[in-house]
Amino acid sequence: QVQLVESGGGLVQAGGSLRLSCAASGRTFSSVAMGWFRRAPGMEREFVAAITWSSSNTYYTDSVKGRFTISGDNAKNTVYLQMNSLKPEDTAVYYCAASSRTWTSFDYWGQGTQVTVSS
C-alpha cells in the first residue's frame, strides 16, 4: 500500500505564504507524476498543480499561476507546493496525489491538510 502524507497547512493572513509538503511511503512505488488538488467548503475537488518527473514539466490551474510553485524530488517521491500571495479564496483542504501513469490521472491520495487564509 502506498501512503501519501501532507504537512505544512495552517492559518495565514491574506498576502502571506505557506509551503506544503507531501511524502510517499509504503511499498515500492515509482510515480510518473505528483500533484496537488484542493476542496473548498461546499465545492468540488479541483486540480491545483502537477509535476511530471521525466520532463520536469509543471501544470497549474489558472487561478494560481504566478503565485504557486510546485517542485519535488522524484527519488524521494516527495512533492512541495510553495504558495505565495495567498487569497481568502485559496482556503481549502489541500490533497497530495501521485500517479503511476500520467499527470491527468492519479492513483493515490493523501488525507489532506487544511489551509485557511484570513482577510
Side-chain angles (χ1 to χ4, degrees), residues 10 18 63 67 75 78 102 104 107 109:
L18 282 174
S63 63
R67 300 188 299 122
T78 301
T102 170
T104 58
D107 309 291
W109 297 85

Side-chain angles (χ1 to χ4, degrees), residues 20-53:
L20 305 183
S21 300
C22 173
S25 63
R27 67 170 176 83
T28 301
F29 172 66
S30 180
S31 63
V32 169
M34 294 186 75
W36 291 94
F37 290 71
R38 66 186 179 186
R39 176 177 286 162
M43 304 293 284
E44 296 289 324
R45 184 172 64 192
E46 67 168 345
F47 168 79
V48 176
I51 184 168
T52 55
W53 298 126

